[in-house]
Amino acid sequence: MISRRKFNWIYVGLWTLRICFALLGTGYIHPDEHMQNGEVTSGDLMPYHTIRTWEWSTALPVRSIVPAFATTGIPLWFAKFFIEKHLTQGVHPILLFRLERSAFLVISGLIDYSLVRPFSNSIEAVLVALSLLFLRKISRVTMLHKSYYLHLLAITFVAGIFTRPTFLIFGAPIAYQVALVTLTHARTAIRWLRLVVPPLFTAVGVCAAFLVADTLYFRGTPNGLVVTPFNFLMYNFASQNLAEHGLHPRWLHVFVNLPMLFGPWVTWLVVRVIVDSAILSNERNGKSFEVDVLRSTIIQMIILSLTVLSLQPHQEPRFLVPLLLPIIVLVANTGRLAHVGKAFWVSCSIFNFVLAVLFGILHQGGVVPSLFHLHSLVADPSLGTRTNIIYWKTYMPPLHLLGVNDRDVVTGSVSFIDLAGASRDDFAASLDTGNYDRTFVVTPVAMRYTLPPTITSCMELNRTIFPHLDLDHISESMDIGVLDGLRLGVYTLSRNCIFV
């Protein structure tokens, strides 16, 4: 065991790293981390042009607006209020980015408070962590204080379901254990009902508030009730919808995503703990022994969530993020960590640091800085009045970080095209500069070498951004060398060139 003083120094060091990765790391794992939050709140609060993905369609919205506004909307509103009050210019995209990351940096501290030290920054993971905290409180405090934590748990459950309905999978074992614990302490059915019914009314009230907020946001009137969790489930129950996002083998969560999130060593420890618990349960069957509520709840949560989520053919690692804290708590409280050697800690540290650098800094790391750079160019009227921006072979850029006024897009002063992974022919067909004073192309430097001379001769390098790792085109990046292969290029197209 390490001393408290040494632990505090380690904790401060980890927080320092977390702050650096949050505020300085521009890499991102998936476009959804922008499109499901900051892109929406910025579009509503700022005059900037943004893109709303299918989740936010007014016809069938599957995301509640409340979690988004509660996390990034509030700090953006305060920034807009103070900046517009004292300055003439709007909120700069760099400040937007830092505010969004800072909001989730602060929220991640709730996981630390819940039980253990820092892990996921996702809202769902935070709410699962808080639910486990309330379960522990409920199992320990007196009857008088149980009601207080039951109300908090009710609020957390409703917020979790409206954040992502998959919260039900992670929360079901917690709800089951809470029911058992409260029934045991109440001793009679009447006392139990008196204890749990008021929190249920709290849950109903909070649910009604979410429904009203979403209905007013998407419909503009109280008519036509919007139930985003129901829409979410209906969308994901349709196999044709999931096929649009990619289909995966059913074993991907268990054999690939879980070890990738935690590392193979921690995953192996989890398996050992679950097996040991099953053996211990069989050996003590019918005997009186103290039940470890938290441990059994987490084991149930792991088994249930992996089973249910593996039934879905669309499987991404981020779907398992809420298991981060429960799994670490499970491993840390079994005593097995006391028997592992230095090799375990060194390998785990290296594994986590490598993945943090890979996804926090390198992976698509040039996209956000390229938007900041283009913002400075588009804001300079001396360079022209009509601007066309083309992104090719990158993740979807979050346009609120470009900081272009929506009015300029509507009038045609600024045009934006995201070609994603389009073919070279489609890319060439989009390079019509006749209607624009200037056209910028943003693409990995490696992809420029795949273009014919008729196109590359018209592409003048404006700036390269390092680092930018494009995992979808590793072979092309390796062909031109490590340095250029890890760069994103911002190019200016010469006017009157013929590209086809």
Side-chain angles (χ1 to χ4, degrees):
M1 291 290 292
I2 63 175
S3 65
R4 182 67 183 180
R5 180 182 178 85
K6 186 176 181 180
F7 175 82
N8 289 339
W9 278 110
I10 293 174
Y11 186 50
V12 170
L14 291 175
W15 252 104
T16 303
L17 280 176
R18 194 190 326 188
I19 292 172
C20 292
F21 277 111
L23 301 184
L24 302 178
T26 56
Y28 62 102
I29 301 172
H30 196 282
D32 279 353
E33 65 188 83
H34 293 290
M35 301 302 167
Q36 292 180 358
N37 204 311
E39 185 82 353
V40 177
T41 55
S42 295
D44 289 332
L45 296 173
M46 309 292 172
Y48 295 154
H49 176 69
T50 58
I51 296 176
R52 285 179 175 263
T53 53
W54 60 273
E55 295 106 323
W56 302 96
S57 68
T58 55
L60 190 70
V62 302
R63 300 286 178 195
S64 172
I65 193 59
V66 178
F69 265 89
T71 50
T72 64
I74 293 176
L76 293 186
W77 183 88
F78 275 105
K80 177 186 177 183
F81 175 80
F82 285 109
I83 288 179
E84 289 184 350
K85 186 175 181 179
H86 299 286
L87 301 175
T88 56
Q89 67 268 31
V91 181
H92 195 279
I94 294 180
L95 179 58
L96 282 181
F97 176 77
R98 299 276 164 76
L99 285 173
E100 293 168 9
R101 290 292 186 91
S102 296
F104 276 81
L105 179 66
V106 172
I107 291 171
S108 72
L110 291 175
I111 293 187
D112 299 30
Y113 172 74
S114 299
L115 284 174
V116 298
R117 299 310 175 189
F119 274 94
S120 167
N121 284 349
S122 82
I123 303 174
E124 189 178 19
V126 170
L127 295 174
V128 169
L130 289 176
S131 299
L132 284 172
L133 169 66
F134 298 145
L135 169 62
R136 188 177 70 166
K137 295 288 187 181
I138 291 168
S139 64
R140 292 182 175 183
V141 298
T142 63
M143 287 287 292
L144 179 63
H145 295 100
K146 285 188 191 300
S147 178
Y148 170 74
Y149 289 109
L150 285 171
H151 284 283
L152 292 178
L153 184 64
I155 296 171
T156 304
F157 260 62
V158 174
I161 293 170
F162 275 85
T163 297
R164 280 184 65 87
T166 51
F167 180 88
L168 281 169
I169 303 170
F170 302 102
I174 299 176
Y176 171 72
Q177 292 293 349
V178 167
L180 289 181
V181 169
T182 52
L183 184 59
T184 301
H185 284 259
R187 299 181 183 274
T188 66
I190 298 298
R191 292 183 64 189
W192 182 73
L193 288 175
R194 289 176 180 173
L195 182 64
V196 300
V197 168
L200 290 178
F201 278 107
T202 296
V204 172
V206 176
C207 181
F210 271 85
L211 293 175
V212 170
D214 288 337
T215 301
L216 291 176
Y217 180 79
F218 289 106
R219 299 285 184 259
T221 66
N223 301 322
L225 190 65
V226 173
V227 187
T228 55
F230 177 78
N231 295 341
F232 180 97
L233 293 175
M234 292 300 99
Y235 182 91
N236 284 276
F237 282 152
S239 56
Q240 64 270 20
N241 293 335
L242 296 180
E244 295 180 4
H245 303 282
L247 301 179
H248 307 105
R250 304 297 168 85
W251 46 260
L252 194 69
H253 272 326
V254 175
F255 294 102
V256 177
N257 294 341
L258 194 66
M260 183 172 67
L261 282 176
F262 305 104
W265 311 271
V266 173
T267 303
W268 172 244
L269 286 179
V270 171
V271 173
R272 291 292 303 273
V273 170
I274 294 176
V275 172
D276 290 348
S277 297
I279 295 174
L280 183 65
S281 177
N282 290 332
E283 290 178 351
R284 295 186 175 182
N285 187 28
K287 299 180 181 180
S288 175
F289 65 97
E290 183 179 356
V291 178
D292 185 345
V293 175
L294 198 60
R295 181 176 180 176
S296 60
T297 303
I298 292 175
I299 291 176
Q300 294 166 10
M301 186 186 298
I302 294 171
I303 295 175
L304 179 64
S305 61
L306 285 177
T307 300
V308 176
L309 292 176
S310 294
L311 294 176
Q312 285 285 81
H314 179 63
Q315 302 184 15
E316 296 182 27
R318 61 193 177 93
F319 296 166
L320 302 181
V321 164
L323 288 179
L324 283 172
L325 179 129
I327 280 182
I328 297 305
V329 172
L330 180 67
V331 173
N333 285 289
T334 58
R336 285 194 171 274
L337 290 180
H339 304 289
V340 299
K342 290 184 178 180
F344 172 85
W345 294 110
V346 171
S347 58
C348 280
S349 298
I350 293 175
F351 176 84
N352 284 283
F353 182 76
V354 168
L355 287 189
V357 172
L358 175 64
F359 291 108
I361 297 176
L362 300 178
H363 189 252
Q364 297 290 322
V367 175
V368 170
S370 70
L371 292 168
F372 298 156
H373 176 65
L374 288 171
H375 172 78
S376 64
L377 297 179
V378 174
D380 185 355
S382 65
L383 298 177
T385 56
R386 296 177 62 83
T387 303
N388 186 29
I389 300 172
I390 301 173
Y391 273 74
W392 184 47
K393 300 293 185 180
T394 70
Y395 271 12
M396 180 187 295
L399 290 190
H400 70 288
L401 299 180
L402 178 62
V404 171
N405 196 297
D406 192 56
R407 179 186 64 254
D408 295 332
V409 176
V410 173
T411 59
S413 296
V414 178
S415 174
F416 182 88
I417 302 174
D418 178 22
L419 292 175
S423 67
R424 190 175 67 179
D425 292 339
D426 290 338
F427 171 71
S430 69
L431 302 181
D432 181 10
T433 63
N435 296 327
Y436 303 99
D437 299 300
R438 53 187 176 160
T439 297
F440 297 106
V441 173
V442 183
T443 189
V445 172
M447 300 313 300
R448 180 182 182 277
Y449 286 87
T450 66
L451 299 172
T454 54
I455 295 180
T456 57
S457 62
C458 293
M459 295 173 62
E460 179 183 352
L461 182 63
N462 180 280
R463 181 182 178 182
T464 60
I465 299 171
F466 178 90
H468 177 87
L469 177 62
D470 182 9
L471 291 177
D472 295 324
H473 303 93
I474 293 293
S475 59
E476 292 91 339
S477 299
M478 293 180 63
D479 288 342
I480 66 170
V482 175
L483 290 180
D484 282 342
L486 289 174
R487 295 183 189 274
L488 181 71
V490 179
Y491 300 92
T492 304
L493 285 184
S494 301
R495 298 194 62 186
N496 303 322
C497 275
I498 300 176
F499 301 104
V500 292

